[in-house]
Amino acid sequence: MGIIHDPIPHFEFRVPVLVVGAGACGLTAALAAHDEGREVLVLERDSRPWGSTSMSLGAVCAVNSTEQRRHGIVDDVETFVADVLRKTEGRADARLAALVGRESGATLDWLADTHRVPLLLDFKWTGLGHSHPRLHIPPGRNGEELLALLQNACGRAGIEIMTDARVADLYADQSGRVHGVRIERPDGSEELLGCDALVLATCGFGGNHAMIARHIPEMANAKYFGHEGNQGDGILWGAALGADLVDMTAYQGLGTLADPQQVVVPHPLMIEGGFLTNVRGERFTHELANISGMCVPVLEQPQGLAWVVFDDRRHRTALEHSVEQRQLVEVGAVRRADDWSELERLCSVPAGSFAGENAAIDQARAAGKPDRFGRDFAGLEPLAAPYCAVRVTGALFHTQGGLRVDDTARVVRTDGTLLPNLFAGGGAAQSISGPAVTGYLPAVGLAMAITLGRVAGRHAAKL
Ligand SMILES: Cc1cc2nc3c(=O)[nH]c(=O)nc-3n(C[C@H](O)[C@H](O)[C@H](O)COP(=O)(O)OP(=O)(O)OC[C@H]3O[C@@H](n4cnc5c(N)ncnc54)[C@H](O)[C@@H]3O)c2cc1C
């Protein structure tokens, strides 16, 4: 797999814009290219588009959207860029953050108004690094629905998504101009397609163990809970054509993947007052300090495991809003008991440990002070029986490093010049998370997919 320079073949057919990958980025890019009046074709390796997009909550962070304004929220690019820089300790690309700030709200408005992809502002995920409510979620609150809405929009627009079409190689000339791709089919046959512009929407490299071991060694032995098709193909092609790679050490992690059931425990359980302990029943961290970075302290605990502890009232609220909470029940991951001692027994933690941690939280709340980790429980109802717990571990969700892109999503070489007709977005492109796991702002992954997808599709069409 790689770049074939010579000879450039006669392609079986040509399209002006080819998009590789049918996740949120690829489908948005295709819609944008189509709206510019260009023929576009999407190539997808799987028999059914799925991607990390379908595995996600479907939450997209966006700035200055009609939805925000409808709720009276006044947001702006400067505040967003300041939030990104605060979260990343000044180590994110402020130019790219400003691009996302400028384009994300308009992108969501365009998706809703032109393509019937409605995303509604969510208030359950306020704070956590965002100065304003910015998370926009599909009505059914999951990524599968987001991908289905985008696929339906492509269907209405007459955009073809060719599935079972793994792009194996790019054809390029010595100037770095991409002329087309070689596709491998599951039966071993191949097809050669030409293009005028290529959009790489192949996501990151979370499924490529060798790349993870090289760039993110701290997660080399952790579970990967993103799409297996994220093999870093786009990043590797770009690099082979001389592209600059940025922040390859960065990633989105999570400390609350149910173990062994592998379902994401909804974070609002903790935002609304739940807490985390290790298998000794001891709290070890401020649960809301950093959602993405939480995978590191969780994996450092004995056996790399922890318990999310909450109560039945919060459990029932989560059941109403969250597909994952319902899945947790279906797979038997939620342990529930009428009192602390029974829950401690069910979770095999020392007697009195959960009760003791909960009492310490109640004490801090009553004293009007933050707890020993600096977390403030003020305004949150104390947990009340019956109580619940889910065993969790830390996991790698999504890599954040990738191809450097300019403000038109064109891929930039290491010498700062632009590759002639190569564009990238979503997980294949650099993000705005800086170089570390702690820099990930909630819902930036899909913001990079959708915003850069639209920018890439629009500009690829103009080429
Ligand atoms: C459990 C989980 C929850 C998440 N929740 C959120 C969230 O709520 N909000 C948020 O912002 N982010 C979230 N993320 C991250 C988010 O899912 C990603 O940032 C986003 O989906 C990336 O979109 P994409 O289009 O770049 O990649 P994907 O959706 O992964 O699409 C890439 C596509 O490219 C295809 N492909 C790859 N290589 C080839 C090839 N050689 N030829 C043809 N096709 C190829 C893949 O099969 C795949 O379909 C979450 C991630 C996970 C794993």
Side-chain angles (χ1 to χ4, degrees):
M1 200 194 85
I3 307 293
I4 302 173
H5 280 292
D6 205 18
I8 305 293
H10 290 290
F11 296 107
E12 285 159 45
F13 65 90
R14 289 187 74 80
V15 280
V17 180
L18 264 185
V19 176
V20 192
C25 178
L27 298 185
T28 309
L31 289 168
H34 170 269
D35 283 9
E36 291 291 327
R38 288 284 166 192
E39 194 191 339
V40 55
L41 173 66
V42 184
L43 304 172
E44 167 55 49
R45 57 179 279 158
D46 290 349
S47 17
R48 173 165 83 105
W50 187 251
S52 283
T53 300
S54 289
M55 301 176 71
S56 76
L57 171 67
V60 188
C61 113
V63 179
N64 202 8
S65 66
T66 300
E67 263 291 286
Q68 279 180 312
R69 290 194 297 277
R70 191 167 70 81
H71 287 279
I73 289 154
V74 181
D75 200 359
D76 58 59
V77 178
E78 292 70 31
T79 311
F80 177 67
V81 174
D83 288 348
V84 168
L85 293 178
R86 195 178 318 109
K87 186 80 176 168
T88 58
E89 299 171 340
R91 295 185 291 170
D93 184 335
R95 173 201 56 86
L96 192 60
L99 176 72
V100 175
R102 285 195 306 276
E103 296 285 341
S104 52
T107 298
L108 290 201
D109 293 349
W110 162 74
L111 280 176
D113 299 342
T114 310
H115 291 292
R116 290 192 250 157
V117 180
L119 295 172
L120 310 174
L121 193 63
D122 185 79
F123 292 88
K124 284 197 168 296
W125 287 77
T126 45
L128 306 168
H130 287 293
S131 292
H132 299 291
R134 290 194 180 116
L135 269 59
H136 299 67
I137 301 192
R141 304 184 69 82
N142 64 78
E144 204 177 331
E145 183 186 19
L146 173 62
L147 197 72
L149 287 166
L150 289 168
Q151 277 182 263
N152 290 343
C154 287
R156 281 191 295 271
I159 296 167
E160 190 186 340
I161 302 169
M162 189 189 278
T163 54
D164 282 328
R166 189 178 79 86
V167 175
D169 301 294
L170 308 190
Y171 286 93
D173 62 25
Q174 295 304 331
S175 75
R177 177 172 293 279
V178 176
H179 292 272
V181 302
R182 186 175 74 82
I183 297 169
E184 279 179 3
R185 297 295 204 164
D187 64 5
S189 62
E190 65 170 29
E191 283 163 47
L192 309 182
L193 306 185
C195 63
D196 297 329
L198 186 73
V199 178
L200 297 175
T202 47
C203 206
F205 55 95
N208 183 326
H209 187 259
M211 285 181 81
I212 292 294
R214 174 165 172 221
H215 297 288
I216 313 178
E218 77 203 57
M219 294 305 276
N221 296 319
K223 277 196 173 67
Y224 169 57
F225 192 69
H227 184 246
E228 286 304 325
N230 296 348
Q231 295 291 325
D233 291 356
I235 296 173
L236 294 170
W237 292 321
L241 289 169
D244 195 15
L245 302 186
V246 187
D247 291 335
M248 293 293 281
T249 48
Y251 64 98
Q252 178 196 2
L254 190 86
T256 51
L257 181 67
D259 180 272
Q261 297 87 356
Q262 302 222 20
V263 177
V264 178
V265 177
H267 214 71
L269 287 172
M270 272 181 298
I271 297 174
E272 285 155 19
F275 59 89
L276 264 182
T277 79
N278 58 23
V279 292
R280 294 195 293 254
E282 299 158 353
R283 280 183 71 213
F284 52 91
T285 188
H286 178 331
E287 291 81 355
L288 307 184
N290 197 303
I291 299 182
S292 171
M294 189 60 65
C295 60
V296 176
V298 167
L299 288 169
E300 283 168 358
Q301 298 309 302
Q303 302 164 50
L305 295 172
W307 289 99
V308 180
V309 182
F310 48 102
D311 66 5
D312 193 59
R313 189 173 67 79
R314 286 161 176 87
H315 172 54
R316 279 184 281 112
T317 307
L319 282 176
E320 284 169 31
H321 298 290
S322 160
V323 179
E324 285 85 3
Q325 192 72 9
R326 295 192 281 274
Q327 287 171 351
L328 287 168
V329 173
E330 279 162 23
V331 296
V334 181
R335 303 187 193 194
R336 184 176 174 282
D338 286 337
D339 57 35
W340 284 120
S341 57
E342 176 63 4
L343 190 68
E344 288 155 358
R345 193 188 63 75
L346 287 177
C347 298
S348 305
V349 297
S353 56
F354 285 168
E357 290 292 7
N358 186 57
I361 289 169
D362 285 349
Q363 229 172 8
R365 180 178 14 235
K369 290 185 184 155
D371 67 12
R372 67 186 190 278
F373 301 103
R375 180 172 171 194
D376 195 346
F377 285 82
L380 296 170
E381 282 284 308
L383 301 191
Y387 303 110
C388 305
V390 176
R391 195 175 72 184
V392 293
T393 187
L396 166 69
F397 269 23
H398 179 228
T399 54
Q400 291 290 292
L403 302 164
R404 186 185 294 284
V405 290
D406 76 349
D407 279 4
T408 65
R410 275 263 285 282
V411 177
V412 182
R413 291 192 185 93
T414 47
D415 65 5
T417 59
L418 298 177
L419 280 159
N421 62 347
L422 190 65
F423 296 80
Q430 66 175 116
S431 190
I432 51 174
S433 301
V437 61
T438 47
Y440 183 83
L441 263 181
V444 150
L446 283 167
M448 300 308 293
I450 283 178
T451 309
L452 284 184
R454 184 185 188 205
V455 172
R458 211 164 43 192
H459 288 277
K462 284 180 182 157
L463 271 191

